[in-house]
Every structure is written in C-alpha cells, then in structure tokens.
Amino acid sequence: MNYDVILIRYGELALKGRNRDLFEETLARNVKNVLRSFYKVKVRRNYGRMYVELHGEDAYEVMERLKRVFGIASFSPTIQVDPDIETIKEKALSLIQQMNPQPRTFRVETRRADKRYPIPSMEVNRMVGTHILRALPQIKVDVHQPEAVVNLEIRTEGTYVSCETIPGPGGLPVGVSGKVQLLLSGGIDSPVAGWMMMKRGVTLEAIHFHSYPFTSERSLQKVRDLAQKLAMWGGTINLHVVPFTEIQTAIRENCPEDYLITIMRRFMMRISERIAEQTKAKALATGESLGQVASQTLESMDTINKVISIPLLRPLVALDKTEITEISRKIDTYELSILPYEDCCTIFTPKNPVTRPKPYVAERFEQSLDVDGLVERAVQGTVIEEITTKRREEATDLF
Ligand code: ATP
Ligand code: MG
C-alpha cells in the first residue's frame, strides 16, 4: 500500500497553555530531526495532531523512526482520499484487505471535524461498514473489541483513512524537561536509567570515568556505543570522558579497602557536580537500584549524596534486575552491556566492601587525600565527545 501521510497522536492531555505549546513545538522539532534524512517528508501540525506527509518516502522506514520519538502516543499510516463517500468506501475496503493477518472483526470510527460535510458521522460509519461486510463475507462487526478499527477523519484540509494504530513510546518529548547529567558506565543499569530519564523529556549529557591503562580503549568504545544507542532516542549526546586513574590510584594507596568504593563514588559525585555546573544540567542520574550491590544501600546512598548539593536522580531505585534487563533488551543496549570489558569499578572491587558506610568515616579517610586538587585535575582533563545517531543506512530496526 502506498500511504500518503502518517498521522501522529500524542498524549499527556493534562498539559495546558504554555506547557502544551512547548510540548508540541518540541515534539515537532524532534520528529523533523529523526526524519531529517528523508528529504521529501513534510511535518504539519493541526489541532492536536501531527501529520508527516510522505511525498513518496517509505512509510515503514519513517514509522520505524517514529517508534523512538518520546511524546508520541500512537501513529497510523494513512491514505488521503477524495471526500466523496464512494471513494471513502472503496479505500477503506482496500486497506482492510491488505491487512496481514486478515482481521475477523472490525468497526468504523468517523470523526467529522469539517461540519460542512453533508453526511453525519454515524451514517458514514454505517455506509462504510455495510460496504466492507458485503465485500468480505467472513468478517463481522464488533463495536467493543474489534481486531481492526477503520479510522476516518473528515477535515477541511483533507479526508484521511487508516486502519492500523501502532503504539508510540509515550513519555514526553526530549527537551521539555531540561538537562540531566547521566553517569554512564558500561553496565546494564545506567543506559536504562538514561533512557528512562529521556522518556520523561530530559536532554542527556553523559559522564564516563575512565581509568586508562587499567581499563582499555575497548571499554571506552563500549561506552561510546551505548551512548550512541541512547542518542537514537533523542539526538546528540555529549559524552564527558573523565580521567580517573590518578584518583583511583590515590584512593587505593591511602584508604582502607572496605571504603574504596564509597570514596570512589564520592569523587565521581563531586566531579559530576562540577561538570553539571558547566553544562547547566539541573540534576545527576545514576543506574543505582536499592540493594542490588553492597554500595547501593540507603546508608551508602546517603554517604555518597553528602558531598553534593545538586539533586541526584535514581530512576531504577525500585526496579528488580529482571525488570531492568527487560528494558535493556527492549532498547537494544543489553548485548553491548554484557560484553566482558573491564570497568573502572570491576578493577578496584574489594572483597568486602562496607555495606553501611558512615559519612564521617569517609571524611576522615579522605583527609589523607588532596581532594580539591584531585577533583580539579580530573575536571581539567575531561574530554568532551559528541555522540550522534547513526546515519539512515546504518540504523537498525527496533522491536
Ligand atoms: P551499571 O550496570 O550501570 O554499571 P552497576 O549495577 O554495575 O551499574 P555500580 O557499579 O555500583 O552499579 O555503579 C552504580 C552507578 O554508578 C552506575 O549505574 C553508574 O551510574 C555509575 N557509575 C559506575 N561506574 C561508572 C563509570 N565508570 N563511569 C560513570 N558512571 C559510573
Ligand atoms: Mg557497573
């Protein structure tokens, strides 16, 4: 079927006034951005709907991109038809006939936004329904739970027919909620945390702590690849690569083993807060989940939080590992995350980390370190890389 238009519906109906304008403008910008390599498409907005006019571009490729645009509740591949009832009947029938598998039940739903149209909606439903029933003897009408809904929209600017509704990712358009600085490791959790924040409309910047030569170039490349997977959901991501070797060496030489992780995390927080000041991010985010490992107890979170005043978000805090893994498979980061390259934390993992660290104990151990100097040098040595989405030919399909 040659579709003409993809009709986009968006949710978050509670949005009002200025918020709603910001939502719609940002969504339109993001839709245009993911479709920028489809030169012929045009994106239009009209009364709470968005239309992607295809002008010959491939509907399925376009829809594959729309599945990654947060803020979209659902979309439908649509054909534009002449508004006379005979044409509408024929086109609706041919759309149903091309569905695979063939639906056993259907319903017609007409929205007559153009009130000058001479036939009332109920009557259009009945006429189109009857036409389909006559042509397809095996199909039945089911108004409650049909397998197919024939959607007719009669508007002043055109008449649209569709019979497939594909769910979008929901959430809010990336960009409406400000910026968050994600601590991105090579593990399973932090990419999922970043994705969840993006889903709520956040623009991400990522920070990675790299301990070359204890950790290899390969492990850094893995983080770039993960950042790129995230970028597919919201455009470019700046990745701040922080040199962490000097700090880890200093901690290991001067602090007791059971506090290594706690103190290391406190350094990560201090540096991330400094970087957030530069990027104007309003919060930090990590992939921590309560109780998952020794350094993720409430006491530990408290001891780590104590060194910063910027809010620290933990979107995974109440999720199980299986739930997190499920999301990571869905967003296609799982296979990358399980690649066995060393991480700065795996290299320094002590046998018995403290599970209930105390802020004052951590502070006492840190007195033997030049905290300010170490933080300053790490911030100064940070390199920013711009991670962009793959080009159209390289992009793989999701779901
Ligand atoms: P992940 O699967 O995200 O690595 P994890 O379960 O391995 O998480 P930890 O190693 O305790 O947990 O790390 C907790 C959080 O600290 C991570 O989710 C991440 O946000 C951050 N973090 C850990 N190591 C790094 C790193 N090298 N660079 C940036 N952030 C990191
Ligand atoms: Mg980890």
Side-chain angles (χ1 to χ4, degrees), residues 182-191 193 207-210 244 261 264-265 268-269 285-289 292-293 295-296 321 343-345:
L182 170 72
L183 279 75
L184 181 63
S185 71
I188 293 173
D189 305 324
S190 44
I207 302 183
H208 179 69
F209 297 89
H210 188 53
F244 209 44
I261 299 245
M264 184 180 81
R265 287 255 182 279
M268 286 184 176
M269 291 304 144
T286 68
E288 290 165 286
S289 157
Q292 195 185 91
V293 291
S295 60
Q296 298 178 10
K321 192 75 189 183
D343 179 34
C344 71
C345 308

Short mmCIF file of all heavy atoms in Angstrom, two decimals, residues 182-191 193 207-210 244 261 264-265 268-269 285-289 292-293 295-296 321 343-345, ligand 1:
data_model
loop_
_atom_site.label_atom_id
_atom_site.label_comp_id
_atom_site.label_asym_id
_atom_site.label_seq_id
_atom_site.Cartn_x
_atom_site.Cartn_y
_atom_site.Cartn_z
N LEU A 182 23.98 12.25 33.14
CA LEU A 182 23.93 10.81 33.46
C LEU A 182 25.33 10.26 33.69
O LEU A 182 26.22 10.48 32.87
CB LEU A 182 23.29 10.07 32.28
CG LEU A 182 23.36 8.53 32.31
CD1 LEU A 182 22.41 7.96 33.37
CD2 LEU A 182 23.03 7.95 30.94
N LEU A 183 25.50 9.51 34.78
CA LEU A 183 26.77 8.80 34.99
C LEU A 183 26.66 7.47 34.24
O LEU A 183 25.91 6.58 34.65
CB LEU A 183 27.04 8.57 36.48
CG LEU A 183 27.63 9.77 37.22
CD1 LEU A 183 26.57 10.83 37.48
CD2 LEU A 183 28.28 9.34 38.52
N LEU A 184 27.37 7.39 33.14
CA LEU A 184 27.21 6.24 32.25
C LEU A 184 28.42 5.31 32.36
O LEU A 184 29.53 5.67 32.01
CB LEU A 184 27.07 6.75 30.81
CG LEU A 184 26.87 5.70 29.71
CD1 LEU A 184 25.57 4.91 29.91
CD2 LEU A 184 26.86 6.36 28.33
N SER A 185 28.16 4.10 32.88
CA SER A 185 29.21 3.09 32.95
C SER A 185 29.02 2.17 31.75
O SER A 185 28.20 2.42 30.88
CB SER A 185 29.10 2.31 34.24
OG SER A 185 27.95 1.48 34.18
N GLY A 186 29.72 1.05 31.73
CA GLY A 186 29.49 0.12 30.63
C GLY A 186 28.52 -0.98 31.02
O GLY A 186 28.37 -1.96 30.29
N GLY A 187 27.85 -0.82 32.17
CA GLY A 187 26.99 -1.90 32.68
C GLY A 187 25.60 -1.91 32.08
O GLY A 187 25.30 -1.19 31.12
N ILE A 188 24.75 -2.73 32.66
CA ILE A 188 23.38 -2.86 32.16
C ILE A 188 22.51 -1.69 32.64
O ILE A 188 21.64 -1.21 31.91
CB ILE A 188 22.76 -4.21 32.64
CG1 ILE A 188 23.49 -5.38 31.99
CG2 ILE A 188 21.27 -4.27 32.34
CD1 ILE A 188 23.07 -6.73 32.53
N ASP A 189 22.77 -1.24 33.85
CA ASP A 189 21.81 -0.35 34.52
C ASP A 189 21.82 1.10 34.03
O ASP A 189 20.76 1.66 33.76
CB ASP A 189 22.06 -0.36 36.03
CG ASP A 189 22.00 -1.77 36.59
OD1 ASP A 189 21.18 -2.55 36.10
OD2 ASP A 189 22.78 -2.08 37.50
N SER A 190 23.00 1.70 33.94
CA SER A 190 22.99 3.15 33.67
C SER A 190 22.43 3.52 32.29
O SER A 190 21.75 4.55 32.19
CB SER A 190 24.37 3.78 33.91
OG SER A 190 25.40 3.00 33.38
N PRO A 191 22.63 2.72 31.22
CA PRO A 191 21.95 3.09 29.97
C PRO A 191 20.43 3.07 30.12
O PRO A 191 19.74 3.93 29.57
CB PRO A 191 22.41 2.02 28.97
CG PRO A 191 23.65 1.44 29.55
CD PRO A 191 23.51 1.55 31.03
N ALA A 193 18.80 3.67 32.90
CA ALA A 193 18.46 4.87 33.69
C ALA A 193 18.40 6.08 32.77
O ALA A 193 17.48 6.91 32.86
CB ALA A 193 19.49 5.08 34.80
N ILE A 207 28.49 11.26 31.47
CA ILE A 207 29.85 11.33 32.03
C ILE A 207 30.35 9.91 32.18
O ILE A 207 29.62 9.04 32.70
CB ILE A 207 29.85 11.94 33.44
CG1 ILE A 207 29.25 13.34 33.44
CG2 ILE A 207 31.26 11.97 34.03
CD1 ILE A 207 29.31 14.02 34.80
N HIS A 208 31.56 9.67 31.75
CA HIS A 208 32.16 8.36 32.00
C HIS A 208 33.54 8.54 32.63
O HIS A 208 34.34 9.35 32.18
CB HIS A 208 32.29 7.57 30.69
CG HIS A 208 32.90 6.23 30.89
ND1 HIS A 208 32.27 5.21 31.57
CD2 HIS A 208 34.13 5.75 30.55
CE1 HIS A 208 33.06 4.16 31.61
NE2 HIS A 208 34.20 4.45 31.00
N PHE A 209 33.77 7.75 33.68
CA PHE A 209 35.06 7.79 34.36
C PHE A 209 35.92 6.66 33.83
O PHE A 209 35.54 5.49 33.90
CB PHE A 209 34.86 7.65 35.89
CG PHE A 209 34.08 8.80 36.45
CD1 PHE A 209 32.68 8.75 36.51
CD2 PHE A 209 34.72 9.96 36.86
CE1 PHE A 209 31.95 9.82 36.99
CE2 PHE A 209 33.99 11.04 37.34
CZ PHE A 209 32.61 10.98 37.41
N HIS A 210 37.08 7.07 33.31
CA HIS A 210 37.89 6.12 32.57
C HIS A 210 39.26 6.02 33.25
O HIS A 210 39.86 7.04 33.58
CB HIS A 210 38.05 6.64 31.13
CG HIS A 210 38.71 5.68 30.22
ND1 HIS A 210 38.27 4.37 30.07
CD2 HIS A 210 39.77 5.81 29.39
CE1 HIS A 210 39.05 3.76 29.19
NE2 HIS A 210 39.96 4.61 28.77
N PHE A 244 40.35 9.11 35.38
CA PHE A 244 40.07 8.74 36.76
C PHE A 244 41.22 7.96 37.40
O PHE A 244 41.15 7.58 38.56
CB PHE A 244 38.79 7.89 36.77
CG PHE A 244 37.98 7.99 38.03
CD1 PHE A 244 37.74 9.21 38.64
CD2 PHE A 244 37.44 6.84 38.61
CE1 PHE A 244 36.98 9.30 39.80
CE2 PHE A 244 36.69 6.91 39.77
CZ PHE A 244 36.45 8.15 40.37
N ILE A 261 35.19 1.77 47.51
CA ILE A 261 34.07 2.07 46.60
C ILE A 261 33.35 3.33 47.05
O ILE A 261 33.01 4.19 46.23
CB ILE A 261 33.08 0.88 46.56
CG1 ILE A 261 33.78 -0.37 46.05
CG2 ILE A 261 31.84 1.23 45.76
CD1 ILE A 261 33.31 -0.91 44.75
N MET A 264 35.45 6.30 46.22
CA MET A 264 35.49 6.46 44.77
C MET A 264 34.19 7.11 44.25
O MET A 264 34.21 8.03 43.44
CB MET A 264 35.68 5.10 44.12
CG MET A 264 35.83 5.15 42.63
SD MET A 264 36.05 3.50 41.97
CE MET A 264 34.38 2.91 41.92
N ARG A 265 33.06 6.63 44.77
CA ARG A 265 31.76 7.19 44.36
C ARG A 265 31.62 8.65 44.75
O ARG A 265 31.03 9.45 44.03
CB ARG A 265 30.64 6.42 45.04
CG ARG A 265 30.41 5.08 44.51
CD ARG A 265 29.14 5.05 43.65
NE ARG A 265 28.94 3.70 43.17
CZ ARG A 265 29.58 3.21 42.12
NH1 ARG A 265 30.41 3.97 41.43
NH2 ARG A 265 29.39 1.97 41.76
N MET A 268 33.32 10.60 42.23
CA MET A 268 32.52 10.67 41.00
C MET A 268 31.45 11.76 41.12
O MET A 268 31.20 12.50 40.18
CB MET A 268 31.83 9.33 40.73
CG MET A 268 32.75 8.24 40.22
SD MET A 268 31.75 6.77 39.83
CE MET A 268 33.00 5.68 39.15
N MET A 269 30.84 11.83 42.30
CA MET A 269 29.77 12.81 42.52
C MET A 269 30.31 14.24 42.47
O MET A 269 29.72 15.12 41.83
CB MET A 269 29.09 12.58 43.87
CG MET A 269 28.28 11.31 43.95
SD MET A 269 27.06 11.27 42.63
CE MET A 269 27.08 9.54 42.24
N ALA A 285 22.07 11.73 37.32
CA ALA A 285 21.32 10.47 37.36
C ALA A 285 22.29 9.30 37.31
O ALA A 285 23.31 9.36 36.62
CB ALA A 285 20.33 10.38 36.19
N THR A 286 21.97 8.25 38.07
CA THR A 286 22.78 7.03 38.04
C THR A 286 21.88 5.82 37.81
O THR A 286 20.65 5.92 37.86
CB THR A 286 23.52 6.79 39.38
OG1 THR A 286 22.54 6.49 40.38
CG2 THR A 286 24.34 7.98 39.80
N GLY A 287 22.50 4.68 37.60
CA GLY A 287 21.76 3.43 37.41
C GLY A 287 21.65 2.63 38.69
O GLY A 287 21.45 1.42 38.62
N GLU A 288 21.75 3.27 39.84
CA GLU A 288 21.68 2.52 41.10
C GLU A 288 20.26 2.01 41.37
O GLU A 288 19.27 2.66 41.05
CB GLU A 288 22.12 3.42 42.26
CG GLU A 288 23.58 3.74 42.25
CD GLU A 288 23.91 4.89 43.16
OE1 GLU A 288 23.58 6.04 42.78
OE2 GLU A 288 24.45 4.64 44.24
N SER A 289 20.22 0.83 42.00
CA SER A 289 18.94 0.22 42.36
C SER A 289 19.10 -0.29 43.79
O SER A 289 20.12 -0.91 44.11
CB SER A 289 18.69 -0.91 41.37
OG SER A 289 17.82 -1.86 41.89
N GLN A 292 20.91 -3.66 45.25
CA GLN A 292 21.43 -4.52 44.20
C GLN A 292 22.85 -5.01 44.53
O GLN A 292 23.17 -6.17 44.35
CB GLN A 292 21.42 -3.78 42.85
CG GLN A 292 21.62 -4.73 41.69
CD GLN A 292 21.73 -3.98 40.36
OE1 GLN A 292 22.80 -3.61 39.94
NE2 GLN A 292 20.59 -3.76 39.73
N VAL A 293 23.69 -4.10 44.97
CA VAL A 293 25.03 -4.50 45.44
C VAL A 293 25.33 -3.73 46.72
O VAL A 293 24.57 -2.84 47.13
CB VAL A 293 26.12 -4.19 44.37
CG1 VAL A 293 26.00 -5.09 43.16
CG2 VAL A 293 26.08 -2.73 43.97
N SER A 295 27.22 -1.39 47.53
CA SER A 295 27.33 0.07 47.53
C SER A 295 25.99 0.74 47.22
O SER A 295 25.93 1.95 47.04
CB SER A 295 28.37 0.51 46.50
OG SER A 295 27.99 0.05 45.23
N GLN A 296 24.92 -0.04 47.17
CA GLN A 296 23.62 0.55 46.85
C GLN A 296 22.60 0.36 47.98
O GLN A 296 21.44 0.06 47.74
CB GLN A 296 23.13 0.00 45.51
CG GLN A 296 24.09 0.40 44.38
CD GLN A 296 23.73 -0.12 43.02
OE1 GLN A 296 22.65 -0.64 42.81
NE2 GLN A 296 24.64 0.00 42.07
N LYS A 321 16.39 -6.45 39.09
CA LYS A 321 17.34 -6.64 37.99
C LYS A 321 16.64 -7.20 36.75
O LYS A 321 16.96 -6.82 35.62
CB LYS A 321 18.46 -7.59 38.43
CG LYS A 321 19.64 -7.62 37.48
CD LYS A 321 20.51 -6.37 37.62
CE LYS A 321 21.57 -6.26 36.55
NZ LYS A 321 22.43 -5.08 36.75
N ASP A 343 35.65 -2.54 33.71
CA ASP A 343 35.14 -1.22 34.04
C ASP A 343 36.01 -0.72 35.19
O ASP A 343 36.65 -1.52 35.87
CB ASP A 343 33.67 -1.39 34.48
CG ASP A 343 33.04 -0.08 34.88
OD1 ASP A 343 33.40 0.94 34.28
OD2 ASP A 343 32.21 -0.09 35.79
N CYS A 344 36.04 0.59 35.40
CA CYS A 344 36.92 1.10 36.46
C CYS A 344 36.52 0.53 37.82
O CYS A 344 37.35 0.37 38.70
CB CYS A 344 36.91 2.62 36.49
SG CYS A 344 35.41 3.35 37.09
N CYS A 345 35.23 0.19 37.99
CA CYS A 345 34.80 -0.34 39.29
C CYS A 345 35.17 -1.81 39.43
O CYS A 345 35.57 -2.25 40.51
CB CYS A 345 33.30 -0.20 39.46
SG CYS A 345 32.75 1.46 39.15
P1 ATP B 1 25.78 -0.28 35.89
O1 ATP B 1 25.14 -1.54 35.41
O2 ATP B 1 25.10 0.96 35.41
O3 ATP B 1 27.25 -0.27 35.70
P2 ATP B 1 26.07 -1.36 38.47
O4 ATP B 1 24.94 -2.18 38.92
O5 ATP B 1 27.30 -2.00 37.92
O6 ATP B 1 25.53 -0.28 37.45
P3 ATP B 1 27.76 0.17 40.17
O7 ATP B 1 28.97 -0.33 39.51
O8 ATP B 1 27.66 0.15 41.66
O9 ATP B 1 26.43 -0.47 39.72
O10 ATP B 1 27.54 1.66 39.71
C1 ATP B 1 26.42 2.39 40.14
C2 ATP B 1 26.25 3.58 39.23
O11 ATP B 1 27.38 4.44 39.26
C3 ATP B 1 26.12 3.18 37.77
O12 ATP B 1 24.81 2.82 37.44
C4 ATP B 1 26.57 4.43 37.06
O13 ATP B 1 25.52 5.37 37.00
C5 ATP B 1 27.66 4.95 37.99
N1 ATP B 1 28.98 4.50 37.52
C6 ATP B 1 29.68 3.41 37.90
N2 ATP B 1 30.85 3.32 37.25
C7 ATP B 1 30.91 4.37 36.42
C8 ATP B 1 31.87 4.86 35.47
N3 ATP B 1 33.00 4.22 35.23
N4 ATP B 1 31.58 5.99 34.80
C9 ATP B 1 30.41 6.63 35.01
N5 ATP B 1 29.49 6.25 35.88
C10 ATP B 1 29.71 5.13 36.59
#
